[in-house]
Amino acid sequence: DVKVTQSSRYLVKRTGEKVFLECVQDMDHENMFWYRQDPGLGLRLIYFSYDVKMKEKGDIPEGYSVSREKKERFSLILESASTNQTSMYLCASLENTEAFFGQGTRLTVV
Amino acid sequence: EDKVVQSPLSLVVHEGDTVTLNCSYEVTNFRSLLWYKQEKKAPTFLFMLTSSGIEKKSGRLSSILDKKELSSILNITATQTGDSAIYLCVEFQGAQKLVFGQGTRLTINP
């Protein structure tokens, strides 16, 4: 079974903190994605990566950056967390036409 | 702009009822349509639809794609409380792109 693992299920951070959300997949997939999910807005793409060290902005990249130093790991970085970044963050790994999701990280910024 | 629209956004029914969830899409480079069920954590894969008019079935769930109408439906018969979830419709466009609908929140009351 493909596994996509996010490092934390729940996180509480203070405004202005630098936050790292880690995602690891074990199936050698090239394509990885970071989404945030908010009620009424569905999943919105923040960034995606199609290879090591390659990244593309999604629909809402402002306030975020990413890192893909190794194929299996895709990190989402909030340089200076703000309260409007309180959300559920989902990582996904894509092979052919099927996406595999991590369990999600619920981030609260206070 | 590529778009996937689901309806209704929210649905409450009684156990045993049959429900139909709708998904319509406007995309420039259609490849396939995916349905996911999301309970408390990661979305889980239900169906992938590529060809028009061919019904995919899994137990009480079934889905079909209509490329002429640019739409898909997900049917659930004899609903159970365990069917309560958010159902996501996702269009896969190739080139590492997924377009998500807003989701339909289905609640099954005993």
Side-chain angles (χ1 to χ4, degrees), chain A residues 12-76:
Chain A
V12 180
K13 296 290 181 181
R14 295 195 180 279
T15 301
E17 273 193 81
K18 189 168 186 174
V19 182
F20 291 87
L21 303 183
E22 304 286 348
C23 175
V24 178
Q25 50 94 2
D26 64 359
M27 280 298 289
D28 204 35
H29 290 173
E30 291 180 344
N31 305 299
M32 296 184 75
F33 302 75
W34 273 106
Y35 295 90
R36 63 177 282 177
Q37 186 174 30
D38 301 288
L41 296 176
L43 272 82
R44 293 180 292 166
L45 180 64
I46 305 172
Y47 267 96
F48 70 95
S49 168
Y50 51 90
D51 205 348
V52 175
K53 297 192 187 293
M54 306 301 281
K55 59 187 179 186
E56 291 277 344
K57 291 181 181 178
D59 300 317
I60 50 162
E62 296 78 18
Y64 303 94
S65 62
V66 290
S67 172
R68 185 102 181 263
E69 294 298 316
K70 292 185 179 180
K71 197 173 188 180
E72 66 269 21
R73 186 181 297 270
F74 191 34
S75 304
L76 181 69

Short mmCIF file of all heavy atoms in Angstrom, two decimals, chain A residues 12-76:
data_model
loop_
_atom_site.label_atom_id
_atom_site.label_comp_id
_atom_site.label_asym_id
_atom_site.label_seq_id
_atom_site.Cartn_x
_atom_site.Cartn_y
_atom_site.Cartn_z
N VAL A 12 -0.27 23.64 17.03
CA VAL A 12 -0.69 24.98 17.45
C VAL A 12 0.56 25.84 17.47
O VAL A 12 1.54 25.51 18.14
CB VAL A 12 -1.35 24.97 18.84
CG1 VAL A 12 -1.77 26.39 19.22
CG2 VAL A 12 -2.57 24.05 18.85
N LYS A 13 0.54 26.92 16.72
CA LYS A 13 1.70 27.81 16.62
C LYS A 13 1.27 29.25 16.87
O LYS A 13 0.10 29.61 16.74
CB LYS A 13 2.31 27.71 15.21
CG LYS A 13 2.87 26.33 14.90
CD LYS A 13 4.11 26.05 15.71
CE LYS A 13 4.68 24.68 15.37
NZ LYS A 13 5.89 24.38 16.18
N ARG A 14 2.25 30.06 17.23
CA ARG A 14 1.97 31.47 17.49
C ARG A 14 2.18 32.29 16.22
O ARG A 14 3.01 31.95 15.37
CB ARG A 14 2.88 32.00 18.60
CG ARG A 14 2.62 31.35 19.95
CD ARG A 14 3.27 32.17 21.06
NE ARG A 14 3.02 31.54 22.35
CZ ARG A 14 1.90 31.68 23.03
NH1 ARG A 14 0.92 32.43 22.58
NH2 ARG A 14 1.75 31.09 24.19
N THR A 15 1.46 33.38 16.13
CA THR A 15 1.63 34.32 15.02
C THR A 15 3.10 34.74 14.92
O THR A 15 3.74 35.05 15.92
CB THR A 15 0.77 35.57 15.26
OG1 THR A 15 -0.60 35.16 15.34
CG2 THR A 15 0.90 36.55 14.11
N GLY A 16 3.62 34.68 13.69
CA GLY A 16 5.00 35.08 13.45
C GLY A 16 6.00 33.94 13.50
O GLY A 16 7.15 34.10 13.06
N GLU A 17 5.59 32.80 14.00
CA GLU A 17 6.51 31.65 14.05
C GLU A 17 6.74 31.09 12.66
O GLU A 17 5.88 31.18 11.78
CB GLU A 17 5.91 30.54 14.92
CG GLU A 17 6.21 30.67 16.39
CD GLU A 17 5.87 29.36 17.13
OE1 GLU A 17 6.69 28.43 17.09
OE2 GLU A 17 4.78 29.30 17.73
N LYS A 18 7.89 30.47 12.48
CA LYS A 18 8.16 29.73 11.24
C LYS A 18 7.68 28.30 11.46
O LYS A 18 8.02 27.68 12.48
CB LYS A 18 9.66 29.75 10.94
CG LYS A 18 10.02 29.21 9.56
CD LYS A 18 11.46 29.53 9.22
CE LYS A 18 11.79 29.12 7.79
NZ LYS A 18 13.13 29.55 7.37
N VAL A 19 6.90 27.80 10.53
CA VAL A 19 6.28 26.49 10.70
C VAL A 19 6.68 25.58 9.54
O VAL A 19 6.65 25.99 8.37
CB VAL A 19 4.73 26.62 10.73
CG1 VAL A 19 4.09 25.25 10.95
CG2 VAL A 19 4.29 27.60 11.82
N PHE A 20 7.04 24.36 9.87
CA PHE A 20 7.39 23.35 8.86
C PHE A 20 6.36 22.22 8.92
O PHE A 20 6.15 21.63 9.98
CB PHE A 20 8.78 22.76 9.13
CG PHE A 20 9.90 23.72 8.92
CD1 PHE A 20 10.31 24.56 9.94
CD2 PHE A 20 10.55 23.79 7.70
CE1 PHE A 20 11.36 25.45 9.76
CE2 PHE A 20 11.61 24.67 7.50
CZ PHE A 20 12.01 25.50 8.53
N LEU A 21 5.75 21.94 7.79
CA LEU A 21 4.88 20.76 7.68
C LEU A 21 5.58 19.78 6.74
O LEU A 21 5.91 20.13 5.61
CB LEU A 21 3.50 21.14 7.13
CG LEU A 21 2.72 22.20 7.90
CD1 LEU A 21 1.35 22.40 7.28
CD2 LEU A 21 2.58 21.83 9.36
N GLU A 22 5.77 18.57 7.26
CA GLU A 22 6.54 17.58 6.48
C GLU A 22 5.61 16.52 5.91
O GLU A 22 4.66 16.08 6.55
CB GLU A 22 7.57 16.91 7.39
CG GLU A 22 8.51 17.85 8.10
CD GLU A 22 9.56 18.43 7.17
OE1 GLU A 22 9.70 17.94 6.03
OE2 GLU A 22 10.24 19.38 7.58
N CYS A 23 5.95 16.05 4.72
CA CYS A 23 5.19 15.00 4.06
C CYS A 23 6.17 14.03 3.42
O CYS A 23 7.09 14.45 2.70
CB CYS A 23 4.27 15.61 3.01
SG CYS A 23 3.36 14.39 2.03
N VAL A 24 5.96 12.74 3.68
CA VAL A 24 6.83 11.71 3.12
C VAL A 24 5.99 10.64 2.45
O VAL A 24 4.99 10.19 3.01
CB VAL A 24 7.69 11.07 4.24
CG1 VAL A 24 8.56 9.96 3.67
CG2 VAL A 24 8.56 12.11 4.92
N GLN A 25 6.39 10.24 1.24
CA GLN A 25 5.71 9.13 0.55
C GLN A 25 6.74 8.05 0.23
O GLN A 25 7.90 8.34 -0.01
CB GLN A 25 4.98 9.62 -0.70
CG GLN A 25 5.79 10.47 -1.66
CD GLN A 25 6.44 9.71 -2.79
OE1 GLN A 25 6.28 8.48 -2.93
NE2 GLN A 25 7.18 10.42 -3.63
N ASP A 26 6.25 6.80 0.23
CA ASP A 26 7.19 5.68 0.12
C ASP A 26 7.06 4.91 -1.19
O ASP A 26 7.47 3.75 -1.26
CB ASP A 26 7.01 4.75 1.32
CG ASP A 26 5.64 4.09 1.36
OD1 ASP A 26 4.81 4.37 0.46
OD2 ASP A 26 5.39 3.31 2.29
N MET A 27 6.47 5.55 -2.21
CA MET A 27 6.27 4.81 -3.47
C MET A 27 7.04 5.41 -4.64
O MET A 27 6.71 5.13 -5.78
CB MET A 27 4.78 4.77 -3.81
CG MET A 27 4.03 3.71 -3.04
SD MET A 27 4.61 2.04 -3.39
CE MET A 27 4.00 1.83 -5.05
N ASP A 28 8.02 6.22 -4.37
CA ASP A 28 8.87 6.74 -5.44
C ASP A 28 8.08 7.58 -6.46
O ASP A 28 8.44 7.65 -7.64
CB ASP A 28 9.58 5.59 -6.17
CG ASP A 28 10.86 6.05 -6.85
OD1 ASP A 28 11.54 6.92 -6.30
OD2 ASP A 28 11.15 5.55 -7.96
N HIS A 29 7.01 8.24 -5.99
CA HIS A 29 6.23 9.08 -6.89
C HIS A 29 6.97 10.37 -7.19
O HIS A 29 7.63 10.94 -6.32
CB HIS A 29 4.88 9.43 -6.27
CG HIS A 29 3.96 8.26 -6.17
ND1 HIS A 29 2.76 8.33 -5.51
CD2 HIS A 29 4.05 7.00 -6.63
CE1 HIS A 29 2.16 7.16 -5.58
NE2 HIS A 29 2.92 6.33 -6.25
N GLU A 30 6.83 10.85 -8.40
CA GLU A 30 7.47 12.11 -8.76
C GLU A 30 6.64 13.32 -8.34
O GLU A 30 7.18 14.37 -8.01
CB GLU A 30 7.71 12.16 -10.27
CG GLU A 30 8.77 11.16 -10.71
CD GLU A 30 9.01 11.17 -12.20
OE1 GLU A 30 8.16 11.73 -12.93
OE2 GLU A 30 10.04 10.63 -12.63
N ASN A 31 5.34 13.18 -8.38
CA ASN A 31 4.46 14.34 -8.18
C ASN A 31 3.92 14.40 -6.76
O ASN A 31 3.33 13.44 -6.28
CB ASN A 31 3.26 14.26 -9.13
CG ASN A 31 3.70 14.12 -10.57
OD1 ASN A 31 4.38 14.99 -11.09
ND2 ASN A 31 3.35 13.02 -11.20
N MET A 32 4.13 15.52 -6.12
CA MET A 32 3.60 15.72 -4.77
C MET A 32 2.97 17.10 -4.68
O MET A 32 3.38 18.03 -5.38
CB MET A 32 4.71 15.55 -3.72
CG MET A 32 5.29 14.14 -3.68
SD MET A 32 6.50 13.90 -2.38
CE MET A 32 5.43 13.82 -0.93
N PHE A 33 1.97 17.20 -3.80
CA PHE A 33 1.14 18.41 -3.73
C PHE A 33 0.91 18.79 -2.28
O PHE A 33 0.81 17.93 -1.42
CB PHE A 33 -0.26 18.15 -4.32
CG PHE A 33 -0.25 17.68 -5.75
CD1 PHE A 33 0.10 16.38 -6.06
CD2 PHE A 33 -0.63 18.52 -6.77
CE1 PHE A 33 0.09 15.93 -7.38
CE2 PHE A 33 -0.65 18.09 -8.09
CZ PHE A 33 -0.29 16.79 -8.38
N TRP A 34 0.73 20.08 -2.06
CA TRP A 34 0.23 20.57 -0.78
C TRP A 34 -1.06 21.35 -1.03
O TRP A 34 -1.10 22.25 -1.88
CB TRP A 34 1.22 21.49 -0.08
CG TRP A 34 2.21 20.76 0.76
CD1 TRP A 34 3.53 20.54 0.51
CD2 TRP A 34 1.96 20.17 2.04
NE1 TRP A 34 4.11 19.84 1.53
CE2 TRP A 34 3.16 19.60 2.49
CE3 TRP A 34 0.82 20.06 2.85
CZ2 TRP A 34 3.27 18.93 3.72
CZ3 TRP A 34 0.93 19.40 4.07
CH2 TRP A 34 2.15 18.85 4.49
N TYR A 35 -2.11 20.99 -0.26
CA TYR A 35 -3.40 21.67 -0.32
C TYR A 35 -3.75 22.18 1.07
O TYR A 35 -3.33 21.63 2.08
CB TYR A 35 -4.51 20.70 -0.72
CG TYR A 35 -4.40 20.15 -2.11
CD1 TYR A 35 -3.70 18.97 -2.36
CD2 TYR A 35 -5.01 20.79 -3.19
CE1 TYR A 35 -3.60 18.46 -3.65
CE2 TYR A 35 -4.92 20.28 -4.47
CZ TYR A 35 -4.21 19.12 -4.69
OH TYR A 35 -4.12 18.60 -5.96
N ARG A 36 -4.61 23.19 1.10
CA ARG A 36 -5.29 23.51 2.34
C ARG A 36 -6.79 23.35 2.11
O ARG A 36 -7.27 23.56 0.98
CB ARG A 36 -4.94 24.89 2.88
CG ARG A 36 -5.31 26.07 2.05
CD ARG A 36 -4.95 27.38 2.75
NE ARG A 36 -5.91 27.74 3.79
CZ ARG A 36 -5.79 28.80 4.58
NH1 ARG A 36 -4.73 29.62 4.46
NH2 ARG A 36 -6.70 29.08 5.48
N GLN A 37 -7.46 22.94 3.17
CA GLN A 37 -8.89 22.67 3.07
C GLN A 37 -9.62 23.51 4.10
O GLN A 37 -9.37 23.40 5.30
CB GLN A 37 -9.17 21.19 3.32
CG GLN A 37 -10.61 20.81 3.11
CD GLN A 37 -10.82 19.31 3.23
OE1 GLN A 37 -10.10 18.64 3.95
NE2 GLN A 37 -11.78 18.78 2.50
N ASP A 38 -10.55 24.33 3.63
CA ASP A 38 -11.34 25.20 4.49
C ASP A 38 -12.81 25.00 4.16
O ASP A 38 -13.16 24.79 3.00
CB ASP A 38 -10.95 26.67 4.25
CG ASP A 38 -9.46 26.90 4.53
OD1 ASP A 38 -9.10 26.87 5.71
OD2 ASP A 38 -8.69 27.11 3.57
N PRO A 39 -13.67 25.09 5.18
CA PRO A 39 -15.11 24.87 4.95
C PRO A 39 -15.65 25.78 3.87
O PRO A 39 -15.40 26.99 3.86
CB PRO A 39 -15.72 25.21 6.33
CG PRO A 39 -14.61 25.01 7.31
CD PRO A 39 -13.35 25.39 6.59
N GLY A 40 -16.39 25.18 2.94
CA GLY A 40 -17.00 25.96 1.88
C GLY A 40 -16.09 26.29 0.72
O GLY A 40 -16.55 26.74 -0.33
N LEU A 41 -14.80 26.06 0.90
CA LEU A 41 -13.85 26.40 -0.17
C LEU A 41 -13.23 25.16 -0.79
O LEU A 41 -12.52 25.25 -1.80
CB LEU A 41 -12.74 27.30 0.38
CG LEU A 41 -13.20 28.66 0.89
CD1 LEU A 41 -12.04 29.42 1.50
CD2 LEU A 41 -13.82 29.48 -0.24
N GLY A 42 -13.43 24.00 -0.19
CA GLY A 42 -12.86 22.79 -0.74
C GLY A 42 -11.36 22.75 -0.57
O GLY A 42 -10.79 23.43 0.29
N LEU A 43 -10.70 21.96 -1.39
CA LEU A 43 -9.24 21.87 -1.36
C LEU A 43 -8.66 22.87 -2.34
O LEU A 43 -9.05 22.91 -3.50
CB LEU A 43 -8.76 20.46 -1.74
CG LEU A 43 -8.66 19.45 -0.61
CD1 LEU A 43 -10.00 18.86 -0.31
CD2 LEU A 43 -7.67 18.37 -0.97
N ARG A 44 -7.71 23.65 -1.87
CA ARG A 44 -7.06 24.62 -2.75
C ARG A 44 -5.56 24.31 -2.80
O ARG A 44 -4.93 24.08 -1.78
CB ARG A 44 -7.31 26.03 -2.24
CG ARG A 44 -8.78 26.48 -2.35
CD ARG A 44 -8.96 27.87 -1.84
NE ARG A 44 -8.76 27.97 -0.41
CZ ARG A 44 -8.60 29.11 0.25
NH1 ARG A 44 -8.62 30.27 -0.41
NH2 ARG A 44 -8.44 29.11 1.55
N LEU A 45 -5.03 24.33 -4.00
CA LEU A 45 -3.64 23.95 -4.20
C LEU A 45 -2.71 25.09 -3.82
O LEU A 45 -2.84 26.21 -4.32
CB LEU A 45 -3.43 23.56 -5.67
CG LEU A 45 -2.03 23.13 -6.07
CD1 LEU A 45 -1.62 21.85 -5.34
CD2 LEU A 45 -1.95 22.92 -7.58
N ILE A 46 -1.73 24.78 -2.98
CA ILE A 46 -0.77 25.79 -2.55
C ILE A 46 0.47 25.73 -3.44
O ILE A 46 0.85 26.70 -4.09
CB ILE A 46 -0.36 25.57 -1.08
CG1 ILE A 46 -1.60 25.55 -0.18
CG2 ILE A 46 0.59 26.67 -0.62
CD1 ILE A 46 -1.30 25.14 1.26
N TYR A 47 1.10 24.57 -3.48
CA TYR A 47 2.27 24.32 -4.31
C TYR A 47 2.25 22.87 -4.75
O TYR A 47 1.67 22.01 -4.08
CB TYR A 47 3.57 24.54 -3.51
CG TYR A 47 4.17 25.91 -3.58
CD1 TYR A 47 3.89 26.85 -2.59
CD2 TYR A 47 5.03 26.26 -4.61
CE1 TYR A 47 4.47 28.12 -2.64
CE2 TYR A 47 5.61 27.53 -4.67
CZ TYR A 47 5.31 28.45 -3.68
OH TYR A 47 5.88 29.71 -3.72
N PHE A 48 2.92 22.58 -5.85
CA PHE A 48 3.20 21.20 -6.19
C PHE A 48 4.61 21.06 -6.73
O PHE A 48 5.26 22.05 -7.11
CB PHE A 48 2.14 20.62 -7.14
CG PHE A 48 2.17 21.17 -8.53
CD1 PHE A 48 2.85 20.51 -9.55
CD2 PHE A 48 1.44 22.31 -8.85
CE1 PHE A 48 2.84 21.00 -10.84
CE2 PHE A 48 1.43 22.81 -10.14
CZ PHE A 48 2.13 22.15 -11.14
N SER A 49 5.06 19.82 -6.75
CA SER A 49 6.41 19.52 -7.20
C SER A 49 6.37 18.29 -8.08
O SER A 49 5.73 17.30 -7.73
CB SER A 49 7.32 19.27 -5.99
OG SER A 49 8.55 18.73 -6.40
N TYR A 50 7.03 18.34 -9.22
CA TYR A 50 7.02 17.20 -10.13
C TYR A 50 8.37 16.50 -10.21
O TYR A 50 8.56 15.58 -11.00
CB TYR A 50 6.54 17.62 -11.52
CG TYR A 50 7.25 18.81 -12.08
CD1 TYR A 50 8.41 18.66 -12.84
CD2 TYR A 50 6.78 20.10 -11.86
CE1 TYR A 50 9.06 19.76 -13.36
CE2 TYR A 50 7.43 21.20 -12.37
CZ TYR A 50 8.57 21.02 -13.13
OH TYR A 50 9.21 22.11 -13.62
N ASP A 51 9.31 16.96 -9.40
CA ASP A 51 10.61 16.28 -9.35
C ASP A 51 11.42 16.90 -8.22
O ASP A 51 11.07 17.99 -7.71
CB ASP A 51 11.35 16.42 -10.67
CG ASP A 51 12.35 15.31 -10.90
OD1 ASP A 51 12.64 14.54 -9.94
OD2 ASP A 51 12.86 15.18 -12.04
N VAL A 52 12.51 16.27 -7.89
CA VAL A 52 13.38 16.81 -6.86
C VAL A 52 13.84 18.21 -7.26
O VAL A 52 14.19 18.46 -8.41
CB VAL A 52 14.60 15.89 -6.66
CG1 VAL A 52 15.58 16.51 -5.68
CG2 VAL A 52 14.17 14.52 -6.19
N LYS A 53 13.76 19.11 -6.29
CA LYS A 53 14.16 20.51 -6.46
C LYS A 53 13.29 21.30 -7.43
O LYS A 53 13.55 22.46 -7.70
CB LYS A 53 15.64 20.63 -6.88
CG LYS A 53 16.61 20.10 -5.83
CD LYS A 53 18.03 20.51 -6.15
CE LYS A 53 19.04 19.86 -5.21
NZ LYS A 53 18.88 20.34 -3.84
N MET A 54 12.23 20.68 -7.95
CA MET A 54 11.33 21.39 -8.86
C MET A 54 10.05 21.72 -8.11
O MET A 54 9.51 20.87 -7.39
CB MET A 54 11.00 20.54 -10.08
CG MET A 54 12.21 20.01 -10.82
SD MET A 54 13.30 21.32 -11.41
CE MET A 54 12.41 21.87 -12.86
N LYS A 55 9.56 22.94 -8.29
CA LYS A 55 8.32 23.33 -7.63
C LYS A 55 7.55 24.30 -8.51
O LYS A 55 8.14 25.03 -9.31
CB LYS A 55 8.61 23.95 -6.27
CG LYS A 55 9.49 25.18 -6.35
CD LYS A 55 9.90 25.66 -4.97
CE LYS A 55 10.81 26.86 -5.09
NZ LYS A 55 11.36 27.31 -3.80
N GLU A 56 6.24 24.26 -8.34
CA GLU A 56 5.37 25.16 -9.09
C GLU A 56 4.35 25.75 -8.13
O GLU A 56 3.83 25.05 -7.26
CB GLU A 56 4.60 24.41 -10.18
CG GLU A 56 5.43 23.89 -11.32
CD GLU A 56 5.69 24.94 -12.38
OE1 GLU A 56 5.00 25.97 -12.38
OE2 GLU A 56 6.60 24.73 -13.20
N LYS A 57 4.03 27.02 -8.31
CA LYS A 57 2.99 27.64 -7.49
C LYS A 57 1.63 27.10 -7.90
O LYS A 57 1.37 26.87 -9.09
CB LYS A 57 3.00 29.16 -7.68
CG LYS A 57 4.22 29.83 -7.09
CD LYS A 57 4.16 31.33 -7.30
CE LYS A 57 5.40 31.97 -6.71
NZ LYS A 57 5.41 33.44 -6.93
N GLY A 58 0.80 26.93 -6.88
CA GLY A 58 -0.57 26.55 -7.13
C GLY A 58 -1.46 27.78 -7.18
O GLY A 58 -1.05 28.83 -7.65
N ASP A 59 -2.65 27.65 -6.63
CA ASP A 59 -3.62 28.75 -6.70
C ASP A 59 -3.44 29.76 -5.58
O ASP A 59 -3.81 30.93 -5.73
CB ASP A 59 -5.04 28.17 -6.64
CG ASP A 59 -5.30 27.22 -7.81
OD1 ASP A 59 -4.91 27.56 -8.94
OD2 ASP A 59 -5.88 26.14 -7.58
N ILE A 60 -2.90 29.33 -4.45
CA ILE A 60 -2.79 30.24 -3.30
C ILE A 60 -1.42 30.13 -2.64
O ILE A 60 -1.29 29.77 -1.48
CB ILE A 60 -3.90 29.97 -2.25
CG1 ILE A 60 -3.99 28.47 -1.91
CG2 ILE A 60 -5.25 30.46 -2.77
CD1 ILE A 60 -4.74 28.21 -0.62
N PRO A 61 -0.34 30.47 -3.34
CA PRO A 61 1.00 30.27 -2.78
C PRO A 61 1.45 31.34 -1.79
O PRO A 61 2.43 31.16 -1.09
CB PRO A 61 1.88 30.32 -4.04
CG PRO A 61 1.15 31.24 -4.96
CD PRO A 61 -0.33 31.01 -4.70
N GLU A 62 0.71 32.45 -1.72
CA GLU A 62 1.19 33.58 -0.90
C GLU A 62 1.29 33.19 0.56
O GLU A 62 0.36 32.64 1.14
CB GLU A 62 0.23 34.77 -1.05
CG GLU A 62 0.14 35.36 -2.47
CD GLU A 62 -0.73 34.53 -3.40
OE1 GLU A 62 -1.53 33.71 -2.90
OE2 GLU A 62 -0.59 34.69 -4.63
N GLY A 63 2.43 33.51 1.14
CA GLY A 63 2.66 33.21 2.55
C GLY A 63 3.25 31.83 2.80
O GLY A 63 3.51 31.46 3.95
N TYR A 64 3.48 31.09 1.71
CA TYR A 64 4.02 29.74 1.82
C TYR A 64 5.25 29.58 0.93
O TYR A 64 5.39 30.26 -0.08
CB TYR A 64 2.99 28.70 1.37
CG TYR A 64 1.68 28.74 2.11
CD1 TYR A 64 0.60 29.46 1.61
CD2 TYR A 64 1.52 28.04 3.31
CE1 TYR A 64 -0.61 29.50 2.27
CE2 TYR A 64 0.30 28.07 3.98
CZ TYR A 64 -0.75 28.80 3.45
OH TYR A 64 -1.94 28.83 4.12
N SER A 65 6.10 28.64 1.29
CA SER A 65 7.16 28.18 0.40
C SER A 65 7.27 26.67 0.58
O SER A 65 6.65 26.10 1.49
CB SER A 65 8.49 28.87 0.69
OG SER A 65 8.92 28.56 2.01
N VAL A 66 8.00 26.03 -0.31
CA VAL A 66 8.15 24.58 -0.24
C VAL A 66 9.59 24.18 -0.49
O VAL A 66 10.39 24.95 -0.99
CB VAL A 66 7.24 23.86 -1.27
CG1 VAL A 66 5.77 23.97 -0.89
CG2 VAL A 66 7.49 24.37 -2.66
N SER A 67 9.86 22.92 -0.13
CA SER A 67 11.20 22.37 -0.34
C SER A 67 11.07 20.92 -0.75
O SER A 67 10.33 20.16 -0.14
CB SER A 67 12.00 22.49 0.95
OG SER A 67 13.23 21.82 0.84
N ARG A 68 11.81 20.54 -1.80
CA ARG A 68 11.81 19.13 -2.24
C ARG A 68 13.27 18.75 -2.51
O ARG A 68 13.74 18.75 -3.64
CB ARG A 68 10.98 18.97 -3.50
CG ARG A 68 10.84 17.49 -3.94
CD ARG A 68 9.54 16.92 -3.58
NE ARG A 68 9.39 15.53 -3.96
CZ ARG A 68 8.78 15.14 -5.08
NH1 ARG A 68 8.31 16.02 -5.95
NH2 ARG A 68 8.65 13.85 -5.33
N GLU A 69 13.99 18.43 -1.45
CA GLU A 69 15.40 18.08 -1.57
C GLU A 69 15.58 16.59 -1.89
O GLU A 69 16.58 16.19 -2.48
CB GLU A 69 16.14 18.42 -0.27
CG GLU A 69 16.21 19.92 0.02
CD GLU A 69 16.96 20.67 -1.06
OE1 GLU A 69 18.02 20.19 -1.51
OE2 GLU A 69 16.47 21.74 -1.50
N LYS A 70 14.62 15.79 -1.48
CA LYS A 70 14.65 14.36 -1.79
C LYS A 70 13.30 13.98 -2.38
O LYS A 70 12.27 14.59 -2.06
CB LYS A 70 14.90 13.54 -0.52
CG LYS A 70 16.29 13.72 0.05
CD LYS A 70 16.51 12.79 1.22
CE LYS A 70 17.91 12.97 1.76
NZ LYS A 70 18.18 12.08 2.91
N LYS A 71 13.29 12.95 -3.20
CA LYS A 71 12.08 12.59 -3.91
C LYS A 71 10.94 12.24 -2.97
O LYS A 71 9.78 12.55 -3.25
CB LYS A 71 12.37 11.40 -4.83
CG LYS A 71 11.35 11.16 -5.91
CD LYS A 71 11.84 10.07 -6.84
CE LYS A 71 10.93 9.96 -8.05
NZ LYS A 71 11.39 8.89 -8.96
N GLU A 72 11.25 11.61 -1.87
CA GLU A 72 10.19 11.12 -0.99
C GLU A 72 9.63 12.19 -0.06
O GLU A 72 8.62 11.96 0.58
CB GLU A 72 10.70 9.93 -0.16
CG GLU A 72 11.79 10.27 0.84
CD GLU A 72 13.19 10.12 0.27
OE1 GLU A 72 13.33 10.15 -0.97
OE2 GLU A 72 14.13 9.98 1.07
N ARG A 73 10.27 13.33 0.03
CA ARG A 73 9.87 14.32 1.05
C ARG A 73 9.54 15.67 0.41
O ARG A 73 10.32 16.22 -0.36
CB ARG A 73 11.01 14.48 2.06
CG ARG A 73 10.69 15.36 3.23
CD ARG A 73 11.89 15.47 4.16
NE ARG A 73 12.24 14.17 4.73
CZ ARG A 73 11.75 13.70 5.87
NH1 ARG A 73 10.91 14.42 6.58
NH2 ARG A 73 12.11 12.52 6.31
N PHE A 74 8.39 16.18 0.80
CA PHE A 74 7.93 17.49 0.30
C PHE A 74 7.49 18.30 1.50
O PHE A 74 6.54 17.92 2.19
CB PHE A 74 6.79 17.28 -0.70
CG PHE A 74 6.39 18.50 -1.48
CD1 PHE A 74 7.30 19.45 -1.88
CD2 PHE A 74 5.06 18.68 -1.86
CE1 PHE A 74 6.94 20.55 -2.63
CE2 PHE A 74 4.68 19.78 -2.61
CZ PHE A 74 5.61 20.72 -2.99
N SER A 75 8.19 19.39 1.75
CA SER A 75 7.93 20.18 2.95
C SER A 75 7.23 21.48 2.59
O SER A 75 7.58 22.14 1.61
CB SER A 75 9.25 20.50 3.66
OG SER A 75 9.96 19.32 3.95
N LEU A 76 6.27 21.84 3.41
CA LEU A 76 5.57 23.12 3.29
C LEU A 76 6.04 24.02 4.42
O LEU A 76 6.06 23.59 5.58
CB LEU A 76 4.06 22.92 3.37
CG LEU A 76 3.20 24.18 3.24
CD1 LEU A 76 3.26 24.74 1.82
CD2 LEU A 76 1.74 23.88 3.62
#
